[in-house]
Amino acid sequence: MKSHTPYMTIVCLLICVFSWGSVFPIAKRVLEEMSGESLVFWRFTIAAVTLALYIVFTRQAWPKLSLAQYIVIALVGVIGVGGLNLALFNGLQHTSAANGALIMALSPLVTSIVNALLQREWLSRQQVFSLVGGLAGVLLVITNGSMQQLLNFSFSQGDVMIAAGMLAWSGYTICSQRVGHWLPVLPFTLLSMIAASVSMSVVGLGRGEFHPWQELMGLSTTALSSVLYIGLFATVLGYLFWINGVKALGPAKASVFFNLVPVFAALTALAMGQAVTEIQLVGMLIVILALMLPMLVNLRAARGLVVKRC
């Protein structure tokens, strides 16, 4: 994938988080006809096959990698991609969706802090305000403005699992930038998808109740098209745009866009006929404003510099 201008990178990240947010209400309907394990398996299998065909037909050269590099990529894919989905699937069986979404909303903050520690640099005031403001908006969307829900928040076994998945995703975001120094986006994404698909197959077969082919053949036309949407748009384009955005902006700045996932999830649910409350709309506005703050500050500074030169 070719390098993008800053504005194009932002557009791609917005498309990415929209596709991921839309997965929640769409997948909810698919899960009425298919198990979560089979859905995760087909999500990454469809994505991996699509990327492989694209690389073959466009005759892109495959990078020369050592065995050690393949092992590193496999570990990053299994832990960051497969681990996240596995933790979410198992964790939601032991906790509420609100608790799970609240924990996942901490991903941008955790990613920025870990990245700052690794880089040995402080976060800027704009980044801190953007992260805190975005998190506040996310909390408002998830809790529907109920302080009682926050006050009664407690950790269960499921919460711990989802927290582990959130940490895995933060690690994947940071590692994708470092791997991007020696591996192009397309091969890295493909290998990550293959690692996730294989790991989910192993886990599913280990449980003894894994029948992805039978479940796929039994899907309705609507559910089948939804699976294709999740595999192609939300996974292929989503992960490509995400990794490219991380490579262009860095993990800290790119992770701020993750706050928009629950916003787009709510908007998609509204389009599908599900109600969205006023407090959720207020939360969405806070998230958008917090996301735009660093860009507005930089734009103002650039204009001020131009005025001084004139």
Side-chain angles (χ1 to χ4, degrees):
M1 179 175 290
K2 297 180 181 179
S3 59
H4 291 153
T5 64
Y7 292 106
M8 191 61 187
T9 298
I10 291 172
V11 170
C12 289
L13 281 172
L14 288 174
I15 294 174
C16 165
V17 294
F18 167 77
S19 69
W20 288 348
S22 65
V23 163
F24 288 93
I26 292 175
K28 185 176 181 180
R29 292 189 177 179
V30 176
L31 290 173
E32 296 175 358
E33 304 180 32
M34 173 179 279
S35 67
E37 289 165 315
S38 293
L39 179 56
V40 173
F41 169 80
W42 282 116
R43 174 183 188 178
F44 294 117
T45 299
I46 292 172
V49 171
T50 302
L51 283 177
L53 291 174
Y54 176 80
I55 291 174
V56 170
F57 282 110
T58 55
R59 298 182 179 180
Q60 297 193 28
W62 188 261
K64 295 181 180 180
L65 302 174
S66 65
L67 178 60
Q69 288 175 317
Y70 275 112
I71 293 175
V72 168
I73 299 168
L75 288 175
V76 171
V78 169
I79 296 174
V81 181
L84 166 64
N85 285 270
L86 186 62
L88 282 174
F89 178 76
N90 286 289
L92 288 174
Q93 294 179 335
H94 304 284
T95 190
S96 66
N99 275 25
L102 178 58
I103 295 170
M104 284 302 302
L106 296 174
S107 176
L109 182 61
V110 172
T111 301
S112 296
I113 293 174
V114 172
N115 186 65
L117 292 174
L118 292 174
Q119 298 293 334
R120 297 181 181 179
E121 60 183 20
W122 295 101
L123 297 176
S124 67
R125 291 181 181 180
Q126 291 81 11
Q127 285 179 311
V128 172
F129 189 88
S130 182
L131 286 168
V132 174
L135 180 59
V138 169
L139 292 179
L140 201 60
V141 171
I142 293 172
T143 64
N144 199 27
S146 173
M147 287 299 298
Q148 191 65 33
Q149 186 173 350
L150 284 176
L151 294 175
N152 294 335
F153 184 78
S154 60
F155 285 100
S156 65
Q157 178 184 354
D159 296 327
V160 174
M161 289 181 180
I162 294 177
M166 180 268 293
L167 291 174
W169 176 249
S170 295
Y172 178 80
T173 300
I174 294 172
C175 289
S176 65
Q177 184 193 37
R178 303 200 169 192
V179 173
H181 292 314
W182 48 268
L183 183 63
V185 172
L186 279 175
F188 176 55
T189 306
L190 173 59
L191 293 173
S192 296
M193 298 305 167
I194 293 175
S197 180
V198 171
S199 62
M200 288 306 300
S201 299
V202 172
V203 172
L205 291 172
R207 291 184 174 180
E209 298 181 356
F210 187 58
H211 309 288
W213 280 104
Q214 293 88 329
E215 292 185 41
L216 185 70
M217 294 298 101
L219 290 179
S220 63
T221 303
T222 301
L224 181 59
S225 61
S226 297
V227 172
L228 292 175
Y229 170 86
I230 294 172
L232 295 174
F233 186 70
T235 307
V236 176
L237 286 183
Y239 275 79
L240 283 176
F241 286 172
W242 178 258
I243 294 173
N244 186 74
V246 170
K247 186 176 181 180
L249 301 180
K253 292 181 180 179
S255 292
V256 175
F257 286 80
F258 198 81
N259 283 321
L260 286 172
V261 169
V263 174
F264 286 125
L267 291 176
T268 304
L270 180 63
M272 295 175 66
Q274 302 177 22
V276 176
T277 64
E278 293 182 358
I279 198 70
Q280 287 175 319
L281 293 175
V282 173
M284 294 176 198
L285 181 61
I286 293 174
V287 171
I288 294 173
L289 291 176
L291 178 63
M292 292 177 61
L293 177 66
M295 291 179 280
L296 293 175
V297 171
N298 292 336
L299 181 61
R300 182 178 179 182
R303 287 182 175 178
L305 184 60
V306 171
V307 171
K308 287 182 179 180
R309 289 179 178 178
C310 294

